[in-house]
Amino acid sequence: MATDRLLMCRPRFYGVAYVINPWMEGNVGRTDADVAMQQWERLTAELARRAALDYVEPVDGLPDMPFAANAGLVHDHTFVPARFRFPQRQPESRHFTSWFRDRGYRVVSLPSGGTFEGEGDALFQPGAPLVWGGYGVRTSLQAHRDLADILDVEVIPLRLVDERFYHLDTCFCPLPGGRIVYYPDAFDHDSLETIRARVPAERRCEVDATDALNFACNAVVAGGAFITNFSSPALRERLARWEFEVIVCPLTQFILAGGAAKCLVLHLTHPGAQRPAATPRAVSGVRERLVEVQGDLLDTGLMNTFLDCITEGGGSFEIETFQAGLRHDQASLARVRVVAPSPERLEAILTRLVQMGARVAEEDRDARLEAVTQPGVAPRDFYSTTIYPTEVRVRGEWVRVTGQRMDAVVVIDGPPEAPRASCRLLRALVVGDRVVSGIEGVRIHPTHVPVAGETFGFMTADTSSERRVELAVDRIAWEMRRLRDRAGKIVVVGGPVVIHTGGGPHLARLVRHGYVQALLAGNGLAAHDIEQALFGTSLGVDLKRGINVRGGHRNHLYAINLMRESGGIRQAVERGILREGVLYECVANRVAFVLAGSIRDDGPLPETIMDLLAAQEAYARAIEGADMILMLSSMLHAIGVGNMTPAGVRLIYVDISPAVVTKLADRGSVESTGIVTDVGLFLNLLDARLGALE
Ligand code: ARG
């Protein structure tokens, strides 16, 4: 077996002089030069027995230079120099590069602008033309794409998500025989899946936090030994079973700077890493695509959300052009190269970006269509819709999608010369339907993209300020008045709390005065409204006096029973049994109402639709053409309705719970307003304002 050649740098000028990783915090000036030198000598002695060592001259003023692993990556007499993330270490490159140049190495710099911290983030799997590439903290993903090209090796990018494990070699150690030792918590979910897909369980050794935090993974593997700062008995035993001798060399002085054994060493050789001649060139999984986004990127914060979405998806980006809108009314334009560690993750990131309104450049492709083969089941890769206006490219033409709603599938039908695109629910798919798959040939026109964690006007610090609520209600009353004047459509979605909080009479008056064109609710709102009309209680509470009426909790059942006896609410009104309340006004004023049932419903009322699919459909029909939807304290119904409603409809959410309002208003269309207040008070105020406008 060929011995390894390693490059090291004597820690003559070593120390902690600045802080560029969490380990260095609090350690500036705290290292002991003599102890550090002894620890390094001891490590060197162990290594010298198992490998050939070369040395690079240390430089005064470059205290991190002993961490030779970060100099770059060497393979087959090619040296790819690091491009350090922090300026403090950047001057090291010149010295390392001269060393390699003087010895006849081919020096190839990374073509792209990303950062790269050498073998610290690029570990060869011993004996294979394979490199594990860490990214996300110090090294950029782009570097791994370039490494595969330059060195003709396969590179598997792994994303690091814990700042304490900022280089791959702090939490991952490949061993001969296709084995690895690693600390799972340092990686993101997808990277762990990648590791587990590539290395079978019996070849993976997962260490715990104690080992990891003592740099057990930061080991040099040479001549059958695993040379490390620390090893728990469990790790030692595991490695013994794999026939590795564990040699512990304390390197506490170097841990003060965030490094240990492996960091102090750069491999000059990688036996067995050459790819056999005549095999196709190696590729990295890294993929990229150019996307364009246009709009109020700066003032709405969309640009941030957009870039966050790329990094959170495990990708990286290069902004190719950015034209800032210099005035308030000017849109900005950005062209961004999205880089992802695998084709699958690129697709996942692009899907989210497209849903935010980005366009994949090279738009000259038609949407990909796949046929449904199982009723009610979409092809796996189907495009799922948003609330925003969407177009799909079919035979070279952009076709506007109809019936826009969220979480649906786009089906293409119609004659070839006049294709139609429409939103379809999963359950409505039939065999042979042609469904848009992937994101190619899809573009959407968001009015305003939800920004994660966005706070709305009424939910910020002054949520509870009465004055803010009053102002909001003024505005809503004015809009409702205008809608009524032009025969617009206002839909109310309400929960039973509307009645419990005393909002019933106010809502009834809104219906009577023509401010409501459809009422969507559950069995509860109707039952308690009728209970109140007949017995003066809501869930047994006398709303006028605010006290429990003895036995009153049964009142709603008597109310339901009476409606059942009459054959329905409508009939009860016609017979003069029901003479006031919200439902009474609906019947009397021919305002459509839909009652959607649920598991806890008593009765139910004859009108309550207990078939949920039918109820969903009735809701969808009722909101067609709505201009405004008032959602009053009914989280589930409001979410349901929100999903069916395309962007552009004015949505008002009222709930006493800020969490619910946040959740609902999260769709974030400009036309949605969240108000945190008691719904009874809200209706009272709204009723008064509308009265004042009469
Ligand atoms: N202080 C150095 C830095 O933060 C430590 C480098 C450790 N090297 C390594 N390969 N993990 O850059």
Side-chain angles (χ1 to χ4, degrees):
M1 194 178 120
T3 49
D4 296 312
R5 271 200 100 73
L6 309 175
L7 180 67
M8 299 185 70
C9 176
R10 177 171 284 278
R12 191 139 57 101
F13 305 107
Y14 169 69
V16 178
Y18 44 75
V19 176
I20 55 171
N21 69 51
W23 299 94
M24 298 171 98
E25 271 161 37
N27 289 334
V28 172
R30 291 256 169 100
T31 47
D32 181 319
D34 294 337
V35 179
M37 190 58 84
Q38 284 158 22
Q39 292 184 336
W40 185 84
E41 298 275 11
R42 160 92 204 280
L43 171 71
T44 308
E46 291 293 352
L47 292 174
R49 269 184 229 137
R50 299 169 173 86
L53 303 184
D54 272 315
Y55 300 93
V56 59
E57 212 33 54
V59 177
D60 194 0
L62 296 178
D64 270 334
M65 207 170 153
F67 296 113
N70 302 118
L73 189 64
V74 187
H75 177 50
D76 206 7
H77 252 70
T78 298
F79 174 63
V80 182
R83 195 177 291 134
F84 284 99
R85 165 148 175 226
F86 293 108
Q88 290 92 331
R89 294 198 66 179
Q90 285 162 3
E92 293 177 31
S93 285
R94 192 163 58 88
H95 303 285
F96 282 115
T97 302
S98 324
W99 191 93
F100 283 95
R101 202 163 264 137
D102 293 348
R103 281 155 189 80
Y105 281 80
R106 182 171 77 112
V107 176
V108 184
S109 299
L110 291 177
S112 71
T115 53
F116 171 52
E117 300 213 343
E119 202 167 74
D121 270 326
L123 295 167
F124 270 90
Q125 182 68 47
L130 172 67
V131 169
W132 299 94
Y135 74 98
V137 187
R138 292 290 186 88
T139 295
S140 59
L141 185 53
Q142 287 86 330
H144 295 306
R145 169 195 62 198
D146 299 343
L147 278 183
D149 271 355
I150 297 171
L151 301 178
D152 189 25
V153 288
E154 186 191 356
V155 180
I156 304 176
L158 300 175
R159 182 171 170 223
L160 300 171
V161 291
D162 182 333
E163 289 275 338
R164 296 172 301 174
F165 302 100
Y166 57 97
H167 281 140
L168 184 63
D169 67 1
T170 61
C171 51
F172 191 93
C173 179
L175 305 178
R179 296 180 164 126
I180 58 170
V181 174
Y182 72 115
Y183 177 53
D185 287 2
F187 299 91
D188 78 347
H189 175 84
D190 294 83
S191 301
L192 278 181
E193 286 205 339
T194 306
I195 294 171
R196 291 169 183 163
R198 293 295 294 241
V199 184
E202 68 280 5
R203 303 215 173 139
R204 296 193 307 252
C205 169
E206 301 189 348
V207 304
D208 64 12
T210 307
D211 273 322
L213 290 168
N214 286 290
F215 282 77
C217 299
N218 195 251
V220 185
V221 180
F226 184 91
I227 304 164
T228 179
N229 169 69
F230 175 87
S231 170
S232 65
L235 176 59
R236 187 184 287 274
E237 199 181 298
R238 182 77 195 262
L239 288 168
R241 262 187 277 138
W242 284 352
E243 289 171 5
F244 286 98
E245 178 195 359
V246 173
I247 297 176
V248 171
C249 282
L251 292 159
T252 49
Q253 285 298 314
F254 296 93
I255 289 179
L256 296 174
K262 172 65 197 72
C263 304
L264 296 166
V265 163
L266 176 66
H267 285 80
L268 296 174
T269 52
H270 298 282
Q274 265 84 345
R275 290 169 56 80
T279 46
R281 277 192 67 81
V283 283
S284 73
V286 181
R287 293 287 183 283
E288 56 184 60
R289 208 59 186 275
L290 198 60
V291 301
E292 258 178 34
V293 61
Q294 201 166 3
D296 296 331
L297 303 183
L298 297 178
D299 28 5
T300 59
L302 178 56
M303 194 65 190
N304 291 345
T305 317
F306 193 78
L307 298 180
D308 282 351
C309 170
I310 300 173
T311 30
E312 274 157 27
S316 176
F317 58 80
E318 284 155 22
I319 300 178
E320 304 231 319
T321 38
F322 187 84
Q323 287 163 19
L326 296 181
R327 282 196 324 263
H328 178 65
D329 56 354
Q330 258 176 353
S332 306
L333 169 74
R335 306 189 92 220
V336 180
R337 185 167 297 282
V338 180
V339 188
S342 67
E344 297 75 34
R345 285 175 87 180
L346 181 64
E347 180 86 5
I349 294 172
L350 291 180
T351 302
R352 289 205 49 205
L353 296 181
V354 164
Q355 291 179 338
M356 295 170 119
R359 290 172 193 191
V360 178
E362 314 131 38
E363 244 180 20
D364 47 350
R365 297 191 217 187
D366 282 351
R368 190 156 51 79
L369 302 183
E370 274 184 65
V372 169
T373 55
Q374 199 180 335
V377 179
R380 286 203 180 179
D381 196 21
F382 73 90
Y383 170 80
S384 97
T385 61
T386 66
I387 59 172
Y388 301 109
T390 304
E391 287 175 302
V392 173
R393 196 169 180 274
V394 188
R395 302 167 120 242
E397 300 287 337
W398 287 100
V399 182
R400 173 72 185 265
V401 176
T402 59
Q404 194 64 47
R405 57 157 295 153
M406 203 156 115
D407 298 343
V409 170
V410 177
V411 172
I412 306 296
D413 57 10
E417 55 310 337
R420 285 189 308 248
S422 51
C423 283
R424 193 81 58 82
L425 294 176
L426 284 176
R427 61 175 184 257
L429 292 173
V430 297
V431 173
D433 272 348
R434 291 182 311 148
V435 164
V436 173
S437 293
I439 36 122
E440 225 122 73
V442 176
R443 64 184 188 197
I444 76 162
H445 306 270
T447 35
H448 173 80
V449 166
V451 173
E454 184 171 28
T455 44
F456 282 75
F458 305 110
M459 291 150 36
T460 40
D462 38 38
T463 297
S464 48
S465 143
E466 302 280 308
R467 187 69 198 128
R468 298 280 296 181
V469 174
E470 277 172 32
L471 287 174
V473 173
D474 274 354
R475 170 71 199 244
I476 293 163
W478 177 78
E479 289 175 35
M480 288 174 76
R481 178 62 202 259
R482 284 165 49 103
L483 275 174
R484 195 187 67 172
D485 289 350
R486 65 171 174 84
K489 180 169 179 180
I490 301 175
V491 177
V492 170
V493 181
V497 180
V498 166
I499 309 299
H500 304 326
T501 55
H506 304 293
L507 182 55
R509 201 149 35 235
L510 260 51
V511 175
R512 188 174 338 132
H513 290 148
Y515 288 110
V516 180
Q517 278 62 51
L519 172 72
L520 308 184
N523 194 60
L525 181 139
H528 296 299
D529 169 60
I530 294 165
E531 172 194 347
Q532 207 197 349
L534 299 178
F535 307 107
T537 60
S538 170
L539 246 193
V541 176
D542 181 330
L543 284 183
K544 289 220 174 67
R545 294 184 292 147
I547 50 162
N548 268 307
V549 175
R550 186 175 305 219
H553 64 277
R554 295 224 184 79
N555 285 354
H556 79 282
L557 271 184
Y558 292 127
I560 291 171
N561 192 47
L562 263 175
M563 296 303 110
R564 294 178 68 89
E565 187 191 294
S566 310
I569 301 170
R570 212 170 297 278
Q571 292 84 337
V573 171
E574 280 156 15
R575 290 198 204 158
I577 293 172
L578 182 63
R579 277 187 275 193
E580 60 178 73
V582 178
L583 271 294
Y584 165 80
E585 297 293 350
C586 285
V587 174
N589 295 284
R590 294 172 202 287
V591 168
F593 63 90
V594 181
L595 305 180
S598 79
I599 189 94
R600 60 156 191 215
D601 286 344
D602 295 323
L605 290 163
E607 277 87 349
T608 302
I609 307 172
M610 295 306 287
D611 172 345
L612 260 190
L613 298 186
Q616 274 189 358
E617 253 126 57
Y619 263 40
R621 267 195 312 279
I623 60 168
E624 260 169 40
D627 298 288
M628 175 189 273
I629 304 182
L630 270 173
M631 320 254 200
L632 308 176
S633 290
S634 174
M635 182 170 69
L636 285 183
H637 289 251
I639 295 174
V641 168
N643 290 348
M644 299 171 186
T645 311
V649 179
R650 182 86 167 97
L651 300 182
I652 320 282
Y653 302 98
V654 184
D655 203 289
I656 192 75
S657 151
V660 171
V661 175
T662 313
K663 185 171 172 59
L664 294 174
D666 226 9
R667 90 195 226 126
S669 2
V670 256
E671 57 281 345
S672 80
T673 300
I675 300 176
V676 178
T677 190
D678 176 273
V679 70
L681 290 179
F682 170 83
L683 282 168
N684 189 337
L685 212 54
L686 182 63
D687 186 16
R689 286 292 186 280
L690 284 170
L693 291 177
E694 286 297 327

